[in-house]
């Protein structure tokens, strides 16, 4: 075998030395709980690891280790247990090849010991890619310290339908914003050798029919290639993305997991991806059980592998049958060899193949920087909070007015956490145990399907799950706790519920706020994996609204005549017409994690000047969905060419809150001179002046859009092409230069090539997609 430097020929020779069974073993995973044994001495609540089972479970070796986040109760135990498993894997694998261990990291390291960050949607609301990269770098350090090599993040899905429950895992609706965040995330992960990033889900997963999880994606080829693939295109080209995960959907009748055009022709041949394609959990199985394109496990495995899906996860239910598929002549062994070479190339790159030196060489690791994590976490929370409306009532002054706090989200900590966080991870085994012990009404443990855990209602367990969040994050504050620290005279009335249980009483509400000068209504929805959530993986909503009796509570509060400040805690756009009408101010807290309470209170009382900008459009009405700023000419709500068809029963056709919108406690102005925009060497360059015209220091995000005025293919009414966050003292002004390559406006032409036709491009600048008062024109030759 090769020593020191190595290349493709060395990998090919290694593949040739493996038996067919050993090759196939490299193409699937093993669920970590299958190795659980008796608790080790001194760790009574942590299952031990029995590596002797590996010889029976994977006698030909092991490619990948799944569900590692259920190991260990602390960082050291996790590290020790993973090391023990790796030693066992090397003993049973040919040539001592180790297993690729993966973990989730979109909101921080998915483990009780991991630093947690606000959700991806909150990160997108900062419009600050540097912060995203710093957060992913900390997460990468956690994984490297634990002995984990593959991070199943970031989520690059574009989402334009808030009915889908996984919006909070995404960077929102816009290809440019998502691409900038994705590139920053991948660079942060891969800046130190030893951990590699995985972009997911390829492709169009966030645009499922009806907002239903795993449903068909009804998109044309151009939309997929030109818009939904943009974050992947950029992460591959600009950040060297190492791995890609398929999506659960089907496109034009072909499941993504078995779509050769998608995973080979487009991803590899067109986008130039050279890394590893891994299957989302159970995706290959779904070819038989969900999509019904395969009758047997062998057929499912052959379909997926032939399409370009290198690895089945989490186990080997289908890929174990590849041996029979090859032996019977139904599958060429060369197809297996190609996938095995990709797996071994990645393993060699990060030091899992003895005698193959890692590229680049692995250095010593000092472990994650907890101080850096805390600084970044607080910065994301502060810059990701979005002030949606304000008539001047905010900021509040402590002690000046009598404040009464109401709403079901006021005194709950777990509401600030989404799925793929330490909280959701800790809740999962508790929920599963409740199911298996028959403690969940209406659920038979004998017939229960594991994947149904996401939709299973668990009455009576809210207190248990809340206790989990408080145990994991004992220093974190609820909104009520934090507001009371700001103003000790704040009162609390426990009215409003996440359930519509008939307990809301108008008389009690009126009495509770009778002496209030200001009512602070803390509202929202729970997001996660298990429990009584209304958002999260596998949880779609026919109407993404404030659940329970919260809208009725707002109506009752408005009827009292008291000024209402509404705080909405959510990881996706909700229908907030009632809140907008009933409130003097509305503040969005997009799942800020352990910093949620402190950040919300700091913003309400003016210690933090809000500067977040929406990464998604908020519709006025359910019937407008999907609603997004970059719709095509002739569709949607914005029509530069004049009035078009709209909804006859809707007075205002546009959004309630537009993409890029976000207010401040000061005011800003942007100026763009016609002669200050130029097209130079393939780059659109705009010189702008931004000024803080108010009396308070603050930050804003200057946004640059463009519109291709005429093309033989229908184009969007606007495309975000550049943006920059800027901090200005009161009265300060600054000149900025925003630029973007013309390539940002490229699309699939009529002949199938990618480019842009000659003609005029209008450049638009401002502080939101609906506040672009300044325009200029450049001509593409």
């Amino acid at each position: 075998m090769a020593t020191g430097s190595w290349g493709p020929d060395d990998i090919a020779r290694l593949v040739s030395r493996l038996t067919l069974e050993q090759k196939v073993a490299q193409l699937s995973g093993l669920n970590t709980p299958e190795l659980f044994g008796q608790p080790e001495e001194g760790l009574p609540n942590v299952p031990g690891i029995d590596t002797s089972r590996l010889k029976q479970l994977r006698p030909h070796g092991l490619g990948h280790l799944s569900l590692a986040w259920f190991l260990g109760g602390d960082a050291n135990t996790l590290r020790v247990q993973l090391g023990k498993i790796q030693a066992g894997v090397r003993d049973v694998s040919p040539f001592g090849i180790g297993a690729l261990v993966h973990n989730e990291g979109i909101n921080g390291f998915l483990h009780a010991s991991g630093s947690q960050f606000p959700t991806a949607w909150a990160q997108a609301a900062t419009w600050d890619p540097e912060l995203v990269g710093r957060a992913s770098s900390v997460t990468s350090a956690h994984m490297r310290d634990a002995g984990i090599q593959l991070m199943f993040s970031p989520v690059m899905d574009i989402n334009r339908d808030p009915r889908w429950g996984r919006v909070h895992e995404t960077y929102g609706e816009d290809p440019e914003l998502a691409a900038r965040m994705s590139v920053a995330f991948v660079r942060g992960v891969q800046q130190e050798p030893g951990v590699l990033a995985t972009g997911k889900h390829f492709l169009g997963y966030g645009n499922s029919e009806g907002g239903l999880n795993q449903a068909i994606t009804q998109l044309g080829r151009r939309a997929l290639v030109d818009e939904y693939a943009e974050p992947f295109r950029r992460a591959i080209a600009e950040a060297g993305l190492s791995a890609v995960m398929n999506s659960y959907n089907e496109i034009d009748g072909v499941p993504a997991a078995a779509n050769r055009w998608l995973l080979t022709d487009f991803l590899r041949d067109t986008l130039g991806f050279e890394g590893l394609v891994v299957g989302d959990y159970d995706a290959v199985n779904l070819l038989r059980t969900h999509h019904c394109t395969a009758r047997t496990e062998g057929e499912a495995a052959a379909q997926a592998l032939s399409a370009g899906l290198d690895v089945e996860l989490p186990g080997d239910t289908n890929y174990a049958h590849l041996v029979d598929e090859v032996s019977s002549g139904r599958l060429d062994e060369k197809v297996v060899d190609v996938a095995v070479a990709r797996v071994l190339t990645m393993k060699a790159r990060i030091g899992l193949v003895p005698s193959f030196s890692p590229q680049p060489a692995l250095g010593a690791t000092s472990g994650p920087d907890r101080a850096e994590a805390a600084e970044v976490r607080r910065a994301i929370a502060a810059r990701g909070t979005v002030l949606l409306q304000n008539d001047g009532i905010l900021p509040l002054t402590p002690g000046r007015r009598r404040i009464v706090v109401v709403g079901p989200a006021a005194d709950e900590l777990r509401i600030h956490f989404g799925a793929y966080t330490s909280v959701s991870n800790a809740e999962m085994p508790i929920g599963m145990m409740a199911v298996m012990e028959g403690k969940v009404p209406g659920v038979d443990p004998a017939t229960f399907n594991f994947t149904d855990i996401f939709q299973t209602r668990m009455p009576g367990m809210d207190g248990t799950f809340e206790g989990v969040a408080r145990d994991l994050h004992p220093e974190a504050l609820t909104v009520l706790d934090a507001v009371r620290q700001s103003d000790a005279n704040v009162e609390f009335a426990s009215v409003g519920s996440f359930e519509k249980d008939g307990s809301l009483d108008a008389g009690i509400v009126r009495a509770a706020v009778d002496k209030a000068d200001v009512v602070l209504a803390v509202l929202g929805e729970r997001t996660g994996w298990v429990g009584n959530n209304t958002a999260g993986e596998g949880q779609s909503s026919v109407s993404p609204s404030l659940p329970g009796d919260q809208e009725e509570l707002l109506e009752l509060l408005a009827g009292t005549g008291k000024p209402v400040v509404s705080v909405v805690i959510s990881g996706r756009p909700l229908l907030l017409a009632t809140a907008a009408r009933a409130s003097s101010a509305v503040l969005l807290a997009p799942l800020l994690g352990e910093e949620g309470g402190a950040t919300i209170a700091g913003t309400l009382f003016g210690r933090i000047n809000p500067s977040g900008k929406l990464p998604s459009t908020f519709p006025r009405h359910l019937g407008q969905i999907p609603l997004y700023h970059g719709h095509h000419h002739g569709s949607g709500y914005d029509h530069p060419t004049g009035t078009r068809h709209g909804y006859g029963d809707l007075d205002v056709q546009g959004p309630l809150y537009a993409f890029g919108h976000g207010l401040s406690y000061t005011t800003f102005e942007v100026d763009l001179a016609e002669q200050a925009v130029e097209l130079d060497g393939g780059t659109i360059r705009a010189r702008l002046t931004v000024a803080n015209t108010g009396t308070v220091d603050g930050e804003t995000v200057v946004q640059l859009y463009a519109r291709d005025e005429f093309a033989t293919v229908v184009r969007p009414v606007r495309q975000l092409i550049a943006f920059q966050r800027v901090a200005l003292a009161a009265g300060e002004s600054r000149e900025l230069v925003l630029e973007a390559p013309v390539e940002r406006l490229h699309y699939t032409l009529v002949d199938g090539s990618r480019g842009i036709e000659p003609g005029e491009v209008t450049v638009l600048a401002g502080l939101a997609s609906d506040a672009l008062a300044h325009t200029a024109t450049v001509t593409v030759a």
Side-chain angles (χ1 to χ4, degrees):
M1 296 217 305
T3 59
S5 61
W6 52 271
D9 291 342
D10 299 297
I11 295 294
R13 281 191 289 271
L14 177 57
V15 172
S16 71
R17 297 180 65 184
L18 301 179
T19 67
L20 176 59
E21 290 78 8
Q22 290 171 338
K23 293 175 185 177
V24 169
Q26 292 295 314
L27 303 182
S28 60
L30 173 69
N31 291 316
T32 300
E34 294 185 60
L35 301 178
F36 283 176
Q38 294 298 316
E40 298 178 12
E41 185 176 352
L43 298 170
N45 298 319
V46 178
I49 299 299
D50 183 2
T51 57
S52 66
R53 297 181 185 177
L54 284 167
K55 292 181 180 179
Q56 176 186 0
L57 295 170
R58 296 294 189 273
H60 303 291
L62 178 62
H64 308 258
L65 188 67
S66 305
L67 297 172
W69 46 85
F70 290 133
L71 283 173
D74 56 62
N76 185 63
T77 304
L78 173 65
R79 186 186 311 109
V80 170
Q81 290 189 331
L82 281 176
K84 185 176 182 179
I85 292 173
Q86 279 287 22
V89 170
R90 291 184 184 275
D91 284 342
V92 300
S93 295
F95 310 113
I97 299 170
L100 266 172
V101 186
H102 59 255
N103 205 313
E104 303 282 353
I106 188 64
N107 312 307
F109 183 39
L110 183 60
H111 192 262
S113 66
S115 300
Q116 305 296 293
F117 298 101
T119 58
W121 199 58
Q123 294 173 37
T126 69
W127 291 55
D128 191 339
E130 180 186 0
L131 277 180
V132 174
R134 289 173 65 187
S136 70
S137 178
V138 170
T139 304
S140 182
H142 271 289
M143 293 195 177
R144 186 178 177 194
D145 182 60
I148 297 169
Q149 303 85 24
L150 192 55
M151 188 187 302
F152 278 178
S153 302
V155 175
M156 300 182 182
D157 297 309
I158 302 299
N159 174 265
R160 293 167 173 177
D161 190 335
R163 293 175 295 179
W164 194 53
R166 301 186 71 173
V167 177
H168 69 290
E169 300 176 42
T170 78
Y171 296 126
E173 73 178 43
D174 184 82
E176 176 66 20
L177 180 60
R180 289 276 299 274
M181 297 300 179
S182 297
V183 168
F185 189 104
V186 173
R187 285 176 174 167
V189 172
Q190 299 184 171
Q191 66 181 1
E192 294 293 337
V195 182
L196 305 174
T198 306
K200 60 185 190 182
H201 307 83
F202 201 74
L203 186 63
Y205 180 45
N207 195 77
S208 57
E209 185 175 75
L212 294 171
N213 198 46
Q214 302 181 357
I216 184 174
T217 292
Q218 299 279 21
L219 290 173
R221 185 68 60 90
R222 279 191 174 85
L224 286 167
V225 169
D226 297 340
E227 299 175 41
Y228 288 79
E230 184 66 9
F232 295 90
R233 184 193 311 276
R234 300 269 289 282
I236 291 167
E238 299 175 23
L241 180 66
S242 299
V244 165
M245 178 184 286
N246 76 285
S247 54
Y248 284 123
N249 58 342
E250 56 122 323
I251 300 170
D252 196 26
V254 183
N259 193 321
R260 183 170 177 81
W261 169 79
L262 188 68
L263 301 181
T264 298
D265 299 346
F266 181 46
L267 177 61
R268 294 191 183 278
D269 298 345
T270 301
L271 298 187
F273 178 69
E274 297 180 347
L276 188 67
V277 176
V278 297
D280 204 345
Y281 278 19
D282 213 34
V284 180
N285 224 27
L286 291 176
L287 298 178
R288 297 184 297 110
T289 63
H290 180 70
H291 298 295
C292 300
T293 62
R295 293 180 178 85
T296 67
E297 289 87 348
E299 283 186 5
Q303 285 181 11
L305 192 70
S306 299
L309 189 72
D310 300 316
V311 176
E312 177 184 15
L313 295 173
D316 66 345
T317 302
N318 302 277
Y319 272 28
H321 294 265
L322 288 171
V323 173
D324 293 336
E325 292 298 305
V326 172
S327 300
S328 66
R330 292 187 294 268
L331 180 70
D332 191 333
E333 189 171 352
K334 293 180 181 178
V335 179
V336 174
D337 290 349
V338 169
V340 174
R342 291 170 182 157
V343 170
L344 294 179
T345 298
M346 177 170 282
K347 287 189 174 187
R349 178 180 170 188
I350 52 184
L352 291 174
V353 180
S355 300
F356 281 60
S357 298
Q359 299 177 345
L362 299 179
T365 176
S366 58
D369 188 335
R370 299 281 182 172
E372 166 77 353
E375 179 183 333
V376 173
R377 183 173 64 239
R378 288 191 291 267
I380 293 173
R383 294 176 181 174
T385 303
V386 186
L387 183 59
L388 297 177
Q389 66 184 55
N390 182 24
D391 68 359
I393 194 171
L394 293 181
L396 302 172
T397 301
R400 178 174 294 181
R401 296 175 173 178
R402 179 175 293 178
I403 301 172
V404 175
V405 178
V406 300
D411 198 27
E412 182 170 292
L413 184 62
R414 73 179 292 254
I415 194 170
H416 298 286
F417 293 84
Y420 294 93
T421 62
S422 59
V423 172
S424 62
N425 191 47
E427 292 173 345
M428 176 65 83
I430 295 173
M432 282 300 301
M433 187 63 67
V435 168
M436 303 317 294
E437 293 178 351
K439 295 180 179 179
V440 179
V443 176
D444 181 1
T447 59
F448 184 75
N449 187 341
F450 169 76
T451 56
D452 292 338
I453 190 70
F454 298 123
Q455 297 91 23
T456 303
R457 304 295 291 176
M458 297 186 177
M461 294 193 66
D462 292 340
T464 300
F465 292 141
E466 176 67 8
V468 167
R470 296 191 183 216
D471 288 343
L472 281 170
H473 301 282
E475 303 301 320
L477 300 174
T478 66
V479 175
L480 179 61
D481 290 336
V483 168
R484 280 176 167 164
Q485 286 189 0
S486 300
D487 188 336
N489 296 319
V490 165
E491 300 174 16
F492 175 58
S494 183
V495 292
S497 173
F498 295 118
E499 307 290 337
K500 204 170 186 67
D501 55 11
S503 63
L504 191 66
D505 181 273
I508 293 176
V509 172
R510 284 194 297 269
V513 302
D514 181 57
K515 296 182 180 181
D517 296 317
V518 177
V519 178
L520 178 59
V522 189
L523 315 162
E525 68 171 349
R526 292 173 173 143
T527 305
W529 276 341
V530 300
N532 302 316
N533 305 310
T534 49
E537 186 168 358
Q539 300 180 64
S540 300
S541 303
V542 69
S543 177
S545 308
L546 290 168
D549 59 19
Q550 295 180 88
E551 291 206 15
E552 184 182 352
L553 173 62
L554 282 168
E555 297 282 13
L556 292 174
L557 293 173
T560 67
K562 304 286 184 178
V564 177
V565 173
S566 290
V567 174
V568 178
I569 301 167
S570 173
R572 60 176 174 172
L574 297 178
L575 300 170
L576 296 180
T578 300
R581 184 175 62 253
S583 307
S584 296
V586 180
L587 182 70
L588 173 68
L591 302 188
L592 305 177
E594 59 198 285
E595 299 296 333
T599 301
I600 291 167
T603 305
L604 292 173
F605 287 96
R607 296 189 299 276
I608 297 171
N609 190 352
S611 59
K613 298 286 189 175
L614 289 179
S616 301
T617 299
F618 278 56
R620 295 177 180 275
H621 191 280
L622 175 64
Q624 292 178 293
I625 296 174
L627 192 73
Y628 53 96
H629 86 91
H631 62 81
H632 284 200
H633 282 281
S635 301
Y637 64 89
D638 193 10
H639 305 288
T641 56
T643 303
R644 293 290 298 164
H645 302 291
Y647 298 103
D649 52 354
L650 196 61
D651 292 336
V652 180
Q653 300 297 317
L656 181 63
Y657 305 117
F659 173 82
H661 168 75
L663 304 177
S664 169
Y665 293 149
T666 189
T667 53
F668 296 94
E669 289 184 0
V670 173
D671 184 57
L672 172 69
E674 175 77 24
Q675 63 271 21
V677 178
E678 62 180 358
L679 178 58
D680 179 24
T683 298
I684 298 173
R685 185 172 296 110
R687 292 177 173 81
L688 310 100
T689 301
V690 57
N692 181 342
T693 56
T695 59
V696 181
D697 297 350
E699 298 184 17
T700 191
V701 179
V702 180
Q703 302 164 35
L704 194 69
Y705 298 77
R707 178 169 58 242
D708 191 349
E709 292 293 356
F710 296 97
T712 53
V713 173
V714 181
R715 305 303 301 133
V717 296
R718 73 180 70 81
Q719 291 178 251
L720 179 69
I721 59 171
F723 57 87
Q724 184 174 331
R725 173 175 279 272
V726 58
L728 296 171
E732 182 185 2
S733 64
R734 187 179 305 168
E735 290 188 356
L736 301 178
V737 177
L738 295 185
E739 58 183 32
V742 174
E743 185 181 355
R744 295 289 181 266
L745 300 175
H746 283 192
Y747 54 93
T748 303
L749 300 167
V750 173
D751 64 3
S753 64
R754 184 173 168 82
I756 183 173
E757 297 166 283
E760 291 186 344
V761 170
T762 300
V763 179
L764 310 96
L767 300 174
S769 65
D770 65 342
L772 302 173
H774 305 282
T775 64
T777 301
V778 295
T779 301
V780 177

